[in-house]
Amino acid sequence: MIDLSRLDLNAPEAPTERTEALQPLQLATTRFQNWRPDGGYLPVGITVGRPRFVRYDYVSVSVLAPFELMRGALKGIDNIEIERKVYRERLRVYESEILAALDELAEKYPDTAAALMCFEDVNGKDGPNGCHRRWFAQWADERWGWIVPELPDPPGTAPARPRKTKAPEPPTLF
């Protein structure tokens, strides 16, 4: 976990400093529902938990999972700007571990492209601005010059179910 006390959540997002890093394997992003075995991509989950609806095996790269947003003080936060800032801080702090995990994938699965997957429908309400896999893709481009496209939705893909809204708290007399 990153130290959130060192991160000013009200300050503007700091620009990403450019450096060089070789891209160890071709990467793309998609959601779990869109991955297809005949698509030519190794399925790679980058989520905190395993989706119950997924019936196929996939590799997990937990260093790209947004742990700080799913546990602890920020669990349940509904502020995309803060979520993005926290996740990008995770990418900065764990950069060497991210590169090592991607190098390991490239060694285990040579000449195979990888699809980094999470749950979000980037064609939905928040678009790509509300999805950590797309935040990683943007950050990888800014930091290392990597191009990590979003795979198109396959034909016949059902749209994401709308999120359930929380019922308002009933008023109290006290």
Side-chain angles (χ1 to χ4, degrees):
M1 298 286 271
I2 61 173
D3 183 1
L4 294 175
S5 67
R6 299 186 59 202
L7 185 61
D8 184 354
L9 298 177
N10 297 313
E13 195 172 297
T16 302
E17 184 180 328
R18 185 63 170 251
T19 189
E20 293 303 314
L22 292 176
Q23 188 169 345
L25 73 166
Q26 181 185 352
L27 297 170
T29 61
T30 193
R31 62 186 178 135
F32 284 107
Q33 296 92 322
N34 288 357
W35 183 83
R36 301 291 184 267
D38 59 353
Y41 287 86
L42 173 71
V44 179
I46 59 169
T47 56
V48 173
R50 178 172 176 82
R52 289 177 282 194
F53 61 86
V54 169
R55 302 287 183 243
Y56 55 84
D57 290 331
Y58 65 89
V59 177
S60 182
V61 175
S62 61
V63 72
L64 287 172
F67 283 99
E68 293 77 14
L69 302 174
M70 307 309 275
R71 298 179 180 158
L74 294 177
K75 180 179 180 177
I77 189 171
D78 190 19
N79 183 321
I80 288 178
E81 288 179 29
I82 290 176
E83 291 174 50
R84 176 184 155 92
K85 196 176 294 182
V86 169
Y87 185 71
R88 287 175 64 102
E89 176 67 5
R90 175 177 208 18
L91 298 174
R92 186 189 68 74
V93 169
Y94 291 106
E95 179 177 4
S96 60
E97 290 88 345
I98 292 166
L99 288 170
L102 295 176
D103 283 339
E104 185 178 325
L105 270 183
E107 287 178 25
K108 282 185 177 179
Y109 305 95
D111 303 319
T112 303
L116 305 177
M117 302 181 303
C118 72
F119 300 99
E120 297 299 325
D121 179 3
V122 298
N123 298 314
K125 178 184 118 224
D126 295 323
N129 296 328
C131 175
H132 79 282
R133 71 177 186 263
R134 296 308 308 155
W135 295 338
F136 168 74
Q138 182 182 23
W139 183 83
D141 181 25
E142 293 168 9
R143 180 71 173 154
W144 304 312
W146 299 3
I147 303 300
V148 182
E150 175 73 9
L151 296 175
D153 289 350
T157 303
R161 287 184 286 168
R163 289 185 180 181
K164 293 180 183 175
T165 55
K166 293 181 182 177
E169 292 286 324
T172 65
L173 298 175
F174 304 99

